[in-house]
Amino acid sequence: MVAKDYPFYLSAKRANFALEAQTVTSPAKETEEPSNKRVKPLSRVTSLASLIPPVRATPLKRFSQTLQRSISFRSESRPDLFSPRPWSRNVPPANTKRRDSKLWSETFDVCVNHMLTSKEIKRQEAIFELSQGEEDLIEDLKLAKKAYHDPMLKLSIMTEQELNQIFGTLDSLIPLHEDLLRRLQEVRKPDGSTDHVGHILVAWLPCLNSYDSYCSNQVAAKALLDQKKQDHRVQDFLQRCLESPFSRKLDLWNFLDIPRSRLVKYPLLLREILRHTPNDHPDQQHLEEAINIIQGIVAEINIKTGESECQYYKERLIYLEEGQRDSLIDNSRAVCCHGELKNNRGVKLHVFLFEEVLVITRAVTHNDQLCYQLYRQPIPVRELVLEDLQDGEVRLGGSIRGAFSNNERIKNFFRVSFKNGSQSQTHSLQANDSFNKQQWLNCIRQAKEKAARAGRAGGLAARVLVAAQGQAALEQMEQSDCESDCSMDTSELSADCERMEQTNSCGSGKQIETNV
């Protein structure tokens, strides 16, 4: 065939292909005469991939935009200030291995309609949920070690020391929960029902004190993990795991945070069992005791984790001058909240609200570590003035920026100010959304109220101390006066006695002379 005839041949071939397709799809029209109507040729399909719409990966929510409150173990991760890596691959999502939720009534073949009451069925469901949760937790902890820890160690993606810092005491938690699962399965009857669990929980729950070291290490572990994600090999390995079906679309930190979330869920699970337990049931007293035990453990771990978090951030504060150091920072034992905010010039700031002082910093990298350089002098919470600004009330810095800024940039602002003699500060800070702003306002107000109560209590204690010291001094003075009065009375009495004796002796002498 001549080269110049190729376009005509291709057009004819397309037309014939279209006609054949029409004939195949319309068998009822085989008897009809062929139509002379021109058929529009089909466009060529160069690749099967062109038929698949592009998959747009959902960007991960930046953790630095969320508030951190240590007392409630927020599920958000620690600040991730690193940008998405250029080597991260955009691939279609794999088939995710989902974990189906199980119910007690569906797992065991029991005629619940005739044998058990509705309340008892709910109680069995709550007990089964506790047991099933332990089984899922053990599976996830083993998966984290097998799919993440061991391969990264074997492939030298991270050193053993780095992995020990990130995973902490994860290995020690597995046998602990296996023990509880074994106890719960031993008391389960052949028909799947369980009569008593309270005595098991009372005996086992004190073992959760071992969570202290694991939860206290999470702040440093998350910071190191974020730092290691800068490494190409680490990021590529974690991305491959995330795309694998076994991960269930959970990254490594989600697996490492599962024990903490399980810990704070125990009080809810036990209350649910207690709620469906009759008042005359033998488990009633044991469940109440178990709830008190777990609440005390969680409260104690919250306090220690908050102290560990506070110490971690205090050690990473960089002071530009010695005058920026403040005893209120050194004496702080908890971080009420912290996160990224912007000022009216668009500068990103990382703000820490400690118990009695507000510290405004900038996130910097120092010796390959994320640190926080003080931006201004620390502001005492007791003397801080807080203002809730309406949307549009703040003017962005710079005439060009202000002229071309949209409404989104002038929303969610609040102002903090401080004045003490010649020192004064005013900062207009912008949160990333209205919820974040409200969280900041609530935290600062609560910190101010707590500081005011502490000030009033301190003033009252000082007044009581001064009054007590004054009363003691007054009693001491009265006692010394009494002693001096007694000594004076005794001396006077002795002098009177001496004069009386002298008088008597003189009188008796005269009497003798007269008689003679």
Side-chain angles (χ1 to χ4, degrees):
M1 180 181 295
V2 185
K4 65 180 180 178
D5 296 334
Y6 180 77
F8 173 79
Y9 169 77
L10 181 60
S11 300
K13 188 174 181 179
R14 288 179 181 174
N16 293 335
F17 176 78
L19 184 59
E20 291 174 2
Q22 183 178 2
T23 305
V24 172
T25 55
S26 304
K29 297 182 179 180
E30 290 181 356
T31 57
E32 298 181 3
E33 297 181 0
S35 174
N36 294 328
K37 185 178 180 180
R38 298 183 59 184
V39 179
K40 184 178 180 181
L42 297 175
S43 58
R44 295 185 62 188
V45 179
T46 58
S47 173
L48 182 62
S50 62
L51 297 177
I52 304 175
V55 178
R56 182 178 179 182
T58 305
L60 295 176
K61 183 179 180 181
R62 292 188 46 155
F63 181 79
S64 59
Q65 296 176 349
T66 60
L67 283 174
Q68 302 303 310
R69 302 192 64 180
S70 60
I71 73 168
S72 57
F73 286 91
R74 290 287 183 256
S75 59
E76 302 109 358
S77 314
R78 297 297 167 201
D80 185 5
L81 301 179
F82 305 116
S83 58
R85 308 296 181 271
W87 53 78
S88 58
R89 303 176 301 149
N90 290 326
V91 297
N95 294 327
T96 304
K97 179 183 177 182
R98 298 186 179 276
R99 175 177 289 163
D100 298 330
S101 59
K102 298 179 181 179
L103 297 177
W104 174 80
S105 56
E106 297 176 353
T107 305
F108 299 96
D109 186 13
V110 180
C111 299
V112 293
N113 294 331
H114 303 284
M115 299 177 58
L116 301 176
T117 63
S118 175
K119 187 171 185 178
E120 181 60 26
I121 294 174
K122 293 180 180 179
R123 182 173 183 272
Q124 294 299 326
E125 293 286 2
I127 296 175
F128 182 76
E129 183 182 359
L130 173 65
S131 176
Q132 189 63 34
E134 293 298 307
E135 190 173 341
D136 294 341
L137 174 64
I138 295 169
E139 180 183 348
D140 288 335
L141 296 183
K142 290 182 178 180
L143 178 63
K145 177 173 173 53
K146 182 179 179 181
Y148 290 93
H149 178 278
D150 295 347
M152 285 193 288
L153 180 61
K154 186 176 181 179
L155 299 174
S156 300
I157 296 178
M158 288 192 195
T159 64
E160 184 176 2
Q161 182 180 2
E162 292 171 340
L163 291 172
N164 290 339
Q165 176 69 43
I166 293 175
F167 284 81
T169 58
L170 185 72
D171 286 345
S172 64
L173 304 180
I174 297 176
L176 187 149
H177 291 278
E178 286 178 337
D179 180 37
L180 176 60
L181 180 61
R182 177 184 57 80
R183 297 187 188 189
L184 294 175
Q185 290 175 344
E186 287 177 353
V187 297
R188 181 182 295 167
K189 294 180 179 181
D191 61 358
S193 62
T194 303
D195 290 337
H196 306 88
V197 294
H199 64 289
I200 296 176
L201 296 171
V202 170
W204 178 83
L205 284 174
C207 300
L208 293 178
N209 285 309
S210 60
Y211 267 72
D212 181 6
S213 58
Y214 183 81
C215 294
S216 299
N217 179 63
Q218 280 196 304
V219 181
K222 182 62 170 65
L224 179 58
L225 180 60
D226 291 338
Q227 178 184 346
K228 294 302 296 182
K229 285 181 180 179
Q230 293 275 64
D231 188 348
H232 172 82
R233 297 184 64 199
V234 175
Q235 177 64 20
D236 185 65
F237 176 83
L238 296 179
Q239 184 66 26
R240 289 176 183 273
C241 291
L242 184 63
E243 295 164 359
S244 300
F246 70 83
S247 68
R248 308 195 308 275
K249 294 301 178 183
L250 301 177
D251 61 10
L252 174 57
W253 183 250
N254 292 131
F255 283 101
L256 296 178
D257 194 51
I258 286 177
R260 180 205 59 79
S261 61
R262 179 66 178 176
L263 177 65
V264 298
K265 192 176 180 180
Y266 280 119
L268 303 177
L269 293 172
L270 300 190
R271 287 195 194 98
E272 186 66 15
I273 299 176
L274 179 62
R275 190 164 69 93
H276 301 295
T277 300
N279 295 331
D280 57 348
H281 197 284
D283 250 5
Q284 181 80 16
Q285 184 177 357
H286 287 146
L287 288 173
E288 292 177 351
E289 183 180 355
I291 291 174
N292 292 332
I293 293 174
I294 187 59
Q295 286 178 341
I297 293 175
V298 171
E300 184 67 22
I301 293 178
N302 277 343
I303 294 174
K304 293 184 178 180
T305 303
E307 293 176 354
S308 175
E309 179 188 29
C310 181
Q311 185 63 30
Y312 174 84
Y313 287 116
K314 287 195 298 185
E315 292 174 354
R316 279 153 183 79
L317 293 178
I318 298 178
Y319 300 91
L320 296 179
E321 55 186 22
E322 195 66 23
Q324 290 181 332
R325 296 185 178 274
D326 197 319
S327 61
L328 295 177
I329 300 177
D330 299 333
N331 297 333
S332 296
R333 300 181 59 185
V335 180
C336 300
C337 63
H338 73 91
E340 183 180 282
L341 299 172
K342 295 180 182 179
N343 63 8
N344 58 337
R345 294 183 177 274
V347 178
K348 293 182 179 180
L349 304 172
H350 201 94
V351 182
F352 294 91
L353 177 61
F354 293 95
E355 293 174 303
E356 297 184 6
V357 63
L358 183 75
V359 182
I360 302 177
T361 69
R362 284 182 177 179
V364 296
T365 302
H366 181 69
N367 295 332
D368 294 332
Q369 276 192 342
L370 181 63
C371 298
Y372 304 93
Q373 179 180 299
L374 263 69
Y375 181 70
R376 289 290 187 271
Q377 195 75 14
I379 302 176
V381 171
R382 190 178 303 176
E383 303 173 11
L384 181 147
V385 178
L386 176 65
E387 299 179 66
D388 183 6
L389 302 179
Q390 300 298 324
D391 293 342
E393 187 173 344
V394 176
R395 178 182 177 85
L396 298 181
S399 58
I400 298 180
R401 174 187 286 271
F404 290 95
S405 63
N406 53 20
N407 292 331
E408 293 297 329
R409 287 192 174 183
I410 55 177
K411 288 183 178 180
N412 307 318
F413 269 93
F414 64 94
R415 180 178 295 138
V416 293
S417 57
F418 161 71
K419 186 174 183 180
N420 184 9
S422 60
Q423 297 182 358
S424 63
Q425 297 183 48
T426 300
H427 303 278
S428 297
L429 303 174
Q430 183 184 27
N432 61 332
D433 54 36
S434 58
F435 177 78
N436 200 341
K437 171 188 173 181
Q438 193 59 43
Q439 291 291 322
W440 273 104
L441 295 176
N442 294 339
C443 289
I444 295 176
R445 287 165 181 162
Q446 292 174 4
K448 285 180 63 64
E449 292 175 0
K450 186 177 180 179
R453 288 196 302 268
R456 289 193 296 268
L460 179 60
R463 289 194 295 272
V464 171
L465 180 61
V466 170
Q469 291 175 349
Q471 183 68 21
L474 182 61
E475 292 177 355
Q476 186 176 3
M477 291 175 61
E478 290 178 353
Q479 183 177 2
S480 61
D481 292 342
C482 290
E483 292 177 354
S484 62
D485 292 342
C486 291
S487 62
M488 290 176 62
D489 294 342
T490 305
S491 60
E492 291 176 358
L493 183 59
S494 60
D496 293 340
C497 291
E498 290 178 357
R499 285 195 298 270
M500 290 175 65
E501 289 178 355
Q502 291 177 359
T503 305
N504 293 335
S505 61
C506 294
S508 61
K510 291 180 181 179
Q511 183 67 29
I512 293 173
E513 291 178 357
T514 306
N515 293 336
V516 173

